[in-house]
């Protein structure tokens, strides 16, 4: 994925990685750079007109898919052992793919404007996100999450909305739905069981929130994913 400036984000592995199973490993490659790291003059070149447009798209976040995903993964692995000018060439190659591809989905719906936080605000938000990702299966009250943030309920609600452009409960629902989507794709558990495993207290409530977040019912979502997977296999 490609995450632009001032877009709040955090990463967390699947639940199984937190069990005492040392056979599970994670590898993460992160490339961080400033928009003008190659010089402002480069961005002014007519040949580089797509790069400023890319940075605008990145403010909503980009999840890369398809062939673009595979090409970028290969370049990022090559960057680990590259040296001198080769590193810059790889970065330019990455920017070229990102700027030209249409194989991506936005992380944020619409053009959101986020508060430019200081270090204290960012650390607090990381704490909130980490706690929510660890405890989304159970009921989390505003009093509980506010106490973790060392804020009153009123101050926390105002702070969270300022940082993320959404309420805390909207965020919590989205986390639960994202885990439900993963469980539906794995196709190992009945939908009714997934509902309660993801922290919803009744099926109708789950269906309502799922449709609101994804635009689909759980069955439609699963069918759409399975059909897309079959289509990719046929093409391969």
């Amino acid at each position: 994925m490609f995450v632009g400036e001032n877009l709040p984000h955090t990463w967390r592995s699947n639940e199984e990685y937190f069990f005492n199973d040392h056979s599970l490993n994670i590898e993460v490659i992160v490339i961080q750079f400033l928009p003008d790291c190659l010089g402002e003059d480069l961005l002014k070149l007519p040949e580089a007109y797509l790069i400023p447009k890319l940075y605008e798209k990145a403010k909503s976040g980009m999840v890369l898919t398809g062939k673009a995903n595979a090409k970028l993964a290969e370049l990022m692995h090559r960057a680990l052992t590259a040296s001198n000018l080769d590193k810059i060439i790889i970065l330019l190659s990455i920017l070229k793919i990102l700027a030209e591809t249409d194989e991506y989905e936005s992380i944020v719906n619409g053009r959101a404007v986020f508060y430019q936080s200081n270090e204290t605000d960012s650390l607090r938000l990381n704490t909130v996100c980490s706690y929510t990702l660890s405890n989304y299966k159970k009921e989390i009250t505003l009093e509980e999450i506010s106490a973790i943030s060392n804020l009153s309920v009123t101050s926390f609600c105002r702070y969270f909305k300022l940082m993320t452009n959404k309420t805390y409960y909207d965020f919590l629902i989205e986390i639960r739905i994202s885990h439900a989507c993963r469980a539906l794709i794995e196709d190992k558990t009945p939908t009714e069981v997934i509902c309660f495993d993801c922290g919803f207290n009744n099926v109708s409530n789950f269906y309502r929130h799922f449709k609101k977040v994804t635009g689909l019912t759980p069955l439609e979502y699963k069918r759409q994913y399975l059909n897309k997977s079959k289509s990719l296999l046929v093409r391969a």
Side-chain angles (χ1 to χ4, degrees), residues 121 124 128 142-143 145-147 149-163 166-168:
D121 285 335
R124 179 179 282 130
V128 170
L142 283 176
E143 288 76 14
I145 197 67
S146 299
S149 307
N150 294 317
L151 295 170
S152 68
V153 171
T154 302
S155 296
F156 171 76
C157 290
R158 185 167 54 246
Y159 154 80
F160 195 85
K161 186 67 180 289
L162 177 66
M163 292 290 289
K166 63 183 69 176
T167 68
Y168 177 72

PDB file of all heavy atoms in Angstrom, residues 121 124 128 142-143 145-147 149-163 166-168:
ATOM      1  N   ASP A 121      -0.451  13.641  20.288  1.00  0.00           N
ATOM      2  CA  ASP A 121      -1.712  13.211  19.684  1.00  0.00           C
ATOM      3  C   ASP A 121      -1.543  11.895  18.932  1.00  0.00           C
ATOM      4  O   ASP A 121      -2.407  11.014  18.979  1.00  0.00           O
ATOM      5  CB  ASP A 121      -2.229  14.277  18.722  1.00  0.00           C
ATOM      6  CG  ASP A 121      -2.828  15.468  19.437  1.00  0.00           C
ATOM      7  OD1 ASP A 121      -3.269  15.293  20.587  1.00  0.00           O
ATOM      8  OD2 ASP A 121      -2.848  16.561  18.859  1.00  0.00           O
ATOM      9  N   ARG A 124      -1.212   8.985  21.353  1.00  0.00           N
ATOM     10  CA  ARG A 124      -2.520   8.687  21.941  1.00  0.00           C
ATOM     11  C   ARG A 124      -3.392   7.913  20.948  1.00  0.00           C
ATOM     12  O   ARG A 124      -4.059   6.946  21.308  1.00  0.00           O
ATOM     13  CB  ARG A 124      -3.206   9.985  22.375  1.00  0.00           C
ATOM     14  CG  ARG A 124      -4.593   9.754  22.977  1.00  0.00           C
ATOM     15  CD  ARG A 124      -5.221  11.061  23.404  1.00  0.00           C
ATOM     16  NE  ARG A 124      -4.682  11.542  24.657  1.00  0.00           N
ATOM     17  CZ  ARG A 124      -4.223  12.764  24.874  1.00  0.00           C
ATOM     18  NH1 ARG A 124      -4.214  13.643  23.882  1.00  0.00           N
ATOM     19  NH2 ARG A 124      -3.771  13.126  26.054  1.00  0.00           N
ATOM     20  N   VAL A 128      -5.080   4.144  21.242  1.00  0.00           N
ATOM     21  CA  VAL A 128      -6.505   3.881  21.022  1.00  0.00           C
ATOM     22  C   VAL A 128      -6.696   2.794  19.965  1.00  0.00           C
ATOM     23  O   VAL A 128      -7.477   1.855  20.153  1.00  0.00           O
ATOM     24  CB  VAL A 128      -7.240   5.169  20.595  1.00  0.00           C
ATOM     25  CG1 VAL A 128      -8.666   4.865  20.132  1.00  0.00           C
ATOM     26  CG2 VAL A 128      -7.273   6.162  21.748  1.00  0.00           C
ATOM     27  N   LEU A 142     -17.421   4.192  25.783  1.00  0.00           N
ATOM     28  CA  LEU A 142     -16.695   5.453  25.636  1.00  0.00           C
ATOM     29  C   LEU A 142     -15.936   5.792  26.916  1.00  0.00           C
ATOM     30  O   LEU A 142     -14.838   6.364  26.863  1.00  0.00           O
ATOM     31  CB  LEU A 142     -17.664   6.582  25.290  1.00  0.00           C
ATOM     32  CG  LEU A 142     -18.148   6.629  23.835  1.00  0.00           C
ATOM     33  CD1 LEU A 142     -19.181   7.727  23.654  1.00  0.00           C
ATOM     34  CD2 LEU A 142     -16.974   6.853  22.879  1.00  0.00           C
ATOM     35  N   GLU A 143     -16.509   5.434  28.056  1.00  0.00           N
ATOM     36  CA  GLU A 143     -15.829   5.683  29.330  1.00  0.00           C
ATOM     37  C   GLU A 143     -14.518   4.902  29.396  1.00  0.00           C
ATOM     38  O   GLU A 143     -13.494   5.421  29.853  1.00  0.00           O
ATOM     39  CB  GLU A 143     -16.735   5.284  30.499  1.00  0.00           C
ATOM     40  CG  GLU A 143     -17.914   6.214  30.748  1.00  0.00           C
ATOM     41  CD  GLU A 143     -19.039   6.025  29.730  1.00  0.00           C
ATOM     42  OE1 GLU A 143     -19.021   4.992  29.001  1.00  0.00           O
ATOM     43  OE2 GLU A 143     -19.915   6.907  29.657  1.00  0.00           O
ATOM     44  N   ILE A 145     -12.600   3.636  26.795  1.00  0.00           N
ATOM     45  CA  ILE A 145     -11.589   4.080  25.836  1.00  0.00           C
ATOM     46  C   ILE A 145     -11.104   5.495  26.169  1.00  0.00           C
ATOM     47  O   ILE A 145      -9.940   5.836  25.929  1.00  0.00           O
ATOM     48  CB  ILE A 145     -12.130   3.990  24.391  1.00  0.00           C
ATOM     49  CG1 ILE A 145     -10.981   4.030  23.377  1.00  0.00           C
ATOM     50  CG2 ILE A 145     -13.150   5.070  24.108  1.00  0.00           C
ATOM     51  CD1 ILE A 145     -10.081   2.829  23.399  1.00  0.00           C
ATOM     52  N   SER A 146     -11.972   6.302  26.762  1.00  0.00           N
ATOM     53  CA  SER A 146     -11.564   7.653  27.178  1.00  0.00           C
ATOM     54  C   SER A 146     -10.547   7.581  28.310  1.00  0.00           C
ATOM     55  O   SER A 146      -9.572   8.352  28.339  1.00  0.00           O
ATOM     56  CB  SER A 146     -12.779   8.458  27.628  1.00  0.00           C
ATOM     57  OG  SER A 146     -13.709   8.607  26.588  1.00  0.00           O
ATOM     58  N   ALA A 147     -10.768   6.652  29.237  1.00  0.00           N
ATOM     59  CA  ALA A 147      -9.840   6.488  30.367  1.00  0.00           C
ATOM     60  C   ALA A 147      -8.460   6.060  29.875  1.00  0.00           C
ATOM     61  O   ALA A 147      -7.435   6.534  30.380  1.00  0.00           O
ATOM     62  CB  ALA A 147     -10.400   5.465  31.348  1.00  0.00           C
ATOM     63  N   SER A 149      -7.210   6.862  27.121  1.00  0.00           N
ATOM     64  CA  SER A 149      -6.628   8.041  26.460  1.00  0.00           C
ATOM     65  C   SER A 149      -6.300   9.163  27.437  1.00  0.00           C
ATOM     66  O   SER A 149      -5.770  10.207  27.027  1.00  0.00           O
ATOM     67  CB  SER A 149      -7.612   8.574  25.415  1.00  0.00           C
ATOM     68  OG  SER A 149      -8.022   7.563  24.538  1.00  0.00           O
ATOM     69  N   ASN A 150      -6.638   8.955  28.719  1.00  0.00           N
ATOM     70  CA  ASN A 150      -6.448   9.998  29.744  1.00  0.00           C
ATOM     71  C   ASN A 150      -7.207  11.281  29.400  1.00  0.00           C
ATOM     72  O   ASN A 150      -6.703  12.393  29.579  1.00  0.00           O
ATOM     73  CB  ASN A 150      -4.953  10.303  29.927  1.00  0.00           C
ATOM     74  CG  ASN A 150      -4.187   9.134  30.508  1.00  0.00           C
ATOM     75  OD1 ASN A 150      -4.660   8.477  31.430  1.00  0.00           O
ATOM     76  ND2 ASN A 150      -3.029   8.851  29.944  1.00  0.00           N
ATOM     77  N   LEU A 151      -8.428  11.100  28.872  1.00  0.00           N
ATOM     78  CA  LEU A 151      -9.284  12.224  28.537  1.00  0.00           C
ATOM     79  C   LEU A 151     -10.675  11.985  29.095  1.00  0.00           C
ATOM     80  O   LEU A 151     -11.053  10.836  29.354  1.00  0.00           O
ATOM     81  CB  LEU A 151      -9.375  12.393  27.011  1.00  0.00           C
ATOM     82  CG  LEU A 151      -8.108  12.770  26.248  1.00  0.00           C
ATOM     83  CD1 LEU A 151      -8.352  12.641  24.745  1.00  0.00           C
ATOM     84  CD2 LEU A 151      -7.654  14.176  26.598  1.00  0.00           C
ATOM     85  N   SER A 152     -11.431  13.046  29.269  1.00  0.00           N
ATOM     86  CA  SER A 152     -12.841  12.884  29.611  1.00  0.00           C
ATOM     87  C   SER A 152     -13.575  12.385  28.372  1.00  0.00           C
ATOM     88  O   SER A 152     -13.046  12.457  27.251  1.00  0.00           O
ATOM     89  CB  SER A 152     -13.438  14.224  30.059  1.00  0.00           C
ATOM     90  OG  SER A 152     -13.487  15.123  28.956  1.00  0.00           O
ATOM     91  N   VAL A 153     -14.783  11.873  28.540  1.00  0.00           N
ATOM     92  CA  VAL A 153     -15.542  11.355  27.398  1.00  0.00           C
ATOM     93  C   VAL A 153     -15.759  12.447  26.358  1.00  0.00           C
ATOM     94  O   VAL A 153     -15.562  12.240  25.156  1.00  0.00           O
ATOM     95  CB  VAL A 153     -16.902  10.779  27.870  1.00  0.00           C
ATOM     96  CG1 VAL A 153     -17.786  10.453  26.668  1.00  0.00           C
ATOM     97  CG2 VAL A 153     -16.685   9.521  28.713  1.00  0.00           C
ATOM     98  N   THR A 154     -16.137  13.633  26.821  1.00  0.00           N
ATOM     99  CA  THR A 154     -16.391  14.741  25.886  1.00  0.00           C
ATOM    100  C   THR A 154     -15.121  15.121  25.127  1.00  0.00           C
ATOM    101  O   THR A 154     -15.133  15.307  23.902  1.00  0.00           O
ATOM    102  CB  THR A 154     -16.926  15.967  26.642  1.00  0.00           C
ATOM    103  OG1 THR A 154     -18.122  15.598  27.335  1.00  0.00           O
ATOM    104  CG2 THR A 154     -17.235  17.105  25.684  1.00  0.00           C
ATOM    105  N   SER A 155     -14.010  15.224  25.851  1.00  0.00           N
ATOM    106  CA  SER A 155     -12.740  15.600  25.215  1.00  0.00           C
ATOM    107  C   SER A 155     -12.271  14.514  24.255  1.00  0.00           C
ATOM    108  O   SER A 155     -11.744  14.806  23.169  1.00  0.00           O
ATOM    109  CB  SER A 155     -11.665  15.844  26.282  1.00  0.00           C
ATOM    110  OG  SER A 155     -12.003  16.942  27.093  1.00  0.00           O
ATOM    111  N   PHE A 156     -12.463  13.248  24.644  1.00  0.00           N
ATOM    112  CA  PHE A 156     -12.041  12.158  23.779  1.00  0.00           C
ATOM    113  C   PHE A 156     -12.829  12.149  22.467  1.00  0.00           C
ATOM    114  O   PHE A 156     -12.253  11.983  21.386  1.00  0.00           O
ATOM    115  CB  PHE A 156     -12.213  10.800  24.470  1.00  0.00           C
ATOM    116  CG  PHE A 156     -12.002   9.644  23.543  1.00  0.00           C
ATOM    117  CD1 PHE A 156     -10.726   9.268  23.161  1.00  0.00           C
ATOM    118  CD2 PHE A 156     -13.090   8.952  23.014  1.00  0.00           C
ATOM    119  CE1 PHE A 156     -10.527   8.216  22.271  1.00  0.00           C
ATOM    120  CE2 PHE A 156     -12.903   7.904  22.128  1.00  0.00           C
ATOM    121  CZ  PHE A 156     -11.617   7.530  21.762  1.00  0.00           C
ATOM    122  N   CYS A 157     -14.147  12.317  22.565  1.00  0.00           N
ATOM    123  CA  CYS A 157     -14.983  12.307  21.362  1.00  0.00           C
ATOM    124  C   CYS A 157     -14.573  13.430  20.409  1.00  0.00           C
ATOM    125  O   CYS A 157     -14.489  13.218  19.193  1.00  0.00           O
ATOM    126  CB  CYS A 157     -16.455  12.449  21.733  1.00  0.00           C
ATOM    127  SG  CYS A 157     -17.138  10.992  22.561  1.00  0.00           S
ATOM    128  N   ARG A 158     -14.294  14.594  20.970  1.00  0.00           N
ATOM    129  CA  ARG A 158     -13.870  15.734  20.152  1.00  0.00           C
ATOM    130  C   ARG A 158     -12.491  15.457  19.536  1.00  0.00           C
ATOM    131  O   ARG A 158     -12.263  15.721  18.357  1.00  0.00           O
ATOM    132  CB  ARG A 158     -13.845  16.998  21.012  1.00  0.00           C
ATOM    133  CG  ARG A 158     -13.524  18.264  20.234  1.00  0.00           C
ATOM    134  CD  ARG A 158     -13.814  19.520  21.037  1.00  0.00           C
ATOM    135  NE  ARG A 158     -13.138  19.518  22.330  1.00  0.00           N
ATOM    136  CZ  ARG A 158     -13.765  19.463  23.497  1.00  0.00           C
ATOM    137  NH1 ARG A 158     -15.083  19.419  23.564  1.00  0.00           N
ATOM    138  NH2 ARG A 158     -13.085  19.460  24.629  1.00  0.00           N
ATOM    139  N   TYR A 159     -11.577  14.914  20.346  1.00  0.00           N
ATOM    140  CA  TYR A 159     -10.218  14.601  19.879  1.00  0.00           C
ATOM    141  C   TYR A 159     -10.234  13.551  18.759  1.00  0.00           C
ATOM    142  O   TYR A 159      -9.599  13.720  17.719  1.00  0.00           O
ATOM    143  CB  TYR A 159      -9.387  14.088  21.061  1.00  0.00           C
ATOM    144  CG  TYR A 159      -8.243  13.182  20.689  1.00  0.00           C
ATOM    145  CD1 TYR A 159      -7.036  13.710  20.215  1.00  0.00           C
ATOM    146  CD2 TYR A 159      -8.372  11.797  20.801  1.00  0.00           C
ATOM    147  CE1 TYR A 159      -5.994  12.868  19.863  1.00  0.00           C
ATOM    148  CE2 TYR A 159      -7.341  10.959  20.445  1.00  0.00           C
ATOM    149  CZ  TYR A 159      -6.148  11.496  19.979  1.00  0.00           C
ATOM    150  OH  TYR A 159      -5.116  10.663  19.620  1.00  0.00           O
ATOM    151  N   PHE A 160     -11.004  12.482  18.957  1.00  0.00           N
ATOM    152  CA  PHE A 160     -11.010  11.388  17.971  1.00  0.00           C
ATOM    153  C   PHE A 160     -11.619  11.847  16.654  1.00  0.00           C
ATOM    154  O   PHE A 160     -11.131  11.494  15.576  1.00  0.00           O
ATOM    155  CB  PHE A 160     -11.782  10.177  18.513  1.00  0.00           C
ATOM    156  CG  PHE A 160     -11.517   8.919  17.728  1.00  0.00           C
ATOM    157  CD1 PHE A 160     -10.420   8.131  18.024  1.00  0.00           C
ATOM    158  CD2 PHE A 160     -12.354   8.536  16.692  1.00  0.00           C
ATOM    159  CE1 PHE A 160     -10.163   6.973  17.298  1.00  0.00           C
ATOM    160  CE2 PHE A 160     -12.107   7.386  15.959  1.00  0.00           C
ATOM    161  CZ  PHE A 160     -10.999   6.599  16.262  1.00  0.00           C
ATOM    162  N   LYS A 161     -12.659  12.644  16.707  1.00  0.00           N
ATOM    163  CA  LYS A 161     -13.289  13.161  15.493  1.00  0.00           C
ATOM    164  C   LYS A 161     -12.329  14.096  14.751  1.00  0.00           C
ATOM    165  O   LYS A 161     -12.251  14.073  13.514  1.00  0.00           O
ATOM    166  CB  LYS A 161     -14.578  13.907  15.857  1.00  0.00           C
ATOM    167  CG  LYS A 161     -15.416  14.366  14.658  1.00  0.00           C
ATOM    168  CD  LYS A 161     -15.993  13.170  13.923  1.00  0.00           C
ATOM    169  CE  LYS A 161     -16.834  13.583  12.729  1.00  0.00           C
ATOM    170  NZ  LYS A 161     -18.120  14.201  13.129  1.00  0.00           N
ATOM    171  N   LEU A 162     -11.574  14.886  15.510  1.00  0.00           N
ATOM    172  CA  LEU A 162     -10.604  15.798  14.903  1.00  0.00           C
ATOM    173  C   LEU A 162      -9.489  15.021  14.203  1.00  0.00           C
ATOM    174  O   LEU A 162      -9.058  15.365  13.096  1.00  0.00           O
ATOM    175  CB  LEU A 162     -10.001  16.699  15.978  1.00  0.00           C
ATOM    176  CG  LEU A 162      -8.910  17.688  15.538  1.00  0.00           C
ATOM    177  CD1 LEU A 162      -9.484  18.736  14.586  1.00  0.00           C
ATOM    178  CD2 LEU A 162      -8.269  18.351  16.752  1.00  0.00           C
ATOM    179  N   MET A 163      -9.046  13.933  14.822  1.00  0.00           N
ATOM    180  CA  MET A 163      -7.926  13.161  14.289  1.00  0.00           C
ATOM    181  C   MET A 163      -8.308  12.296  13.100  1.00  0.00           C
ATOM    182  O   MET A 163      -7.500  12.065  12.196  1.00  0.00           O
ATOM    183  CB  MET A 163      -7.344  12.265  15.396  1.00  0.00           C
ATOM    184  CG  MET A 163      -6.651  13.021  16.509  1.00  0.00           C
ATOM    185  SD  MET A 163      -5.093  13.777  16.000  1.00  0.00           S
ATOM    186  CE  MET A 163      -4.050  12.338  15.808  1.00  0.00           C
ATOM    187  N   LYS A 166     -14.092  10.841  11.958  1.00  0.00           N
ATOM    188  CA  LYS A 166     -15.204   9.917  12.226  1.00  0.00           C
ATOM    189  C   LYS A 166     -15.338   9.748  13.733  1.00  0.00           C
ATOM    190  O   LYS A 166     -14.419  10.062  14.497  1.00  0.00           O
ATOM    191  CB  LYS A 166     -14.977   8.570  11.560  1.00  0.00           C
ATOM    192  CG  LYS A 166     -13.768   7.796  12.058  1.00  0.00           C
ATOM    193  CD  LYS A 166     -13.570   6.501  11.292  1.00  0.00           C
ATOM    194  CE  LYS A 166     -13.145   6.775   9.867  1.00  0.00           C
ATOM    195  NZ  LYS A 166     -12.846   5.543   9.105  1.00  0.00           N
ATOM    196  N   THR A 167     -16.497   9.255  14.167  1.00  0.00           N
ATOM    197  CA  THR A 167     -16.685   9.003  15.592  1.00  0.00           C
ATOM    198  C   THR A 167     -15.975   7.708  15.971  1.00  0.00           C
ATOM    199  O   THR A 167     -15.659   6.875  15.111  1.00  0.00           O
ATOM    200  CB  THR A 167     -18.175   8.869  15.955  1.00  0.00           C
ATOM    201  OG1 THR A 167     -18.694   7.655  15.364  1.00  0.00           O
ATOM    202  CG2 THR A 167     -18.976  10.059  15.443  1.00  0.00           C
ATOM    203  N   TYR A 168     -15.741   7.555  17.289  1.00  0.00           N
ATOM    204  CA  TYR A 168     -15.072   6.325  17.718  1.00  0.00           C
ATOM    205  C   TYR A 168     -15.913   5.105  17.412  1.00  0.00           C
ATOM    206  O   TYR A 168     -15.380   4.065  16.984  1.00  0.00           O
ATOM    207  CB  TYR A 168     -14.752   6.370  19.214  1.00  0.00           C
ATOM    208  CG  TYR A 168     -14.137   5.076  19.678  1.00  0.00           C
ATOM    209  CD1 TYR A 168     -12.839   4.746  19.326  1.00  0.00           C
ATOM    210  CD2 TYR A 168     -14.890   4.148  20.407  1.00  0.00           C
ATOM    211  CE1 TYR A 168     -12.283   3.532  19.698  1.00  0.00           C
ATOM    212  CE2 TYR A 168     -14.339   2.940  20.790  1.00  0.00           C
ATOM    213  CZ  TYR A 168     -13.038   2.623  20.430  1.00  0.00           C
ATOM    214  OH  TYR A 168     -12.490   1.404  20.790  1.00  0.00           O
TER     215      TYR A 168
END
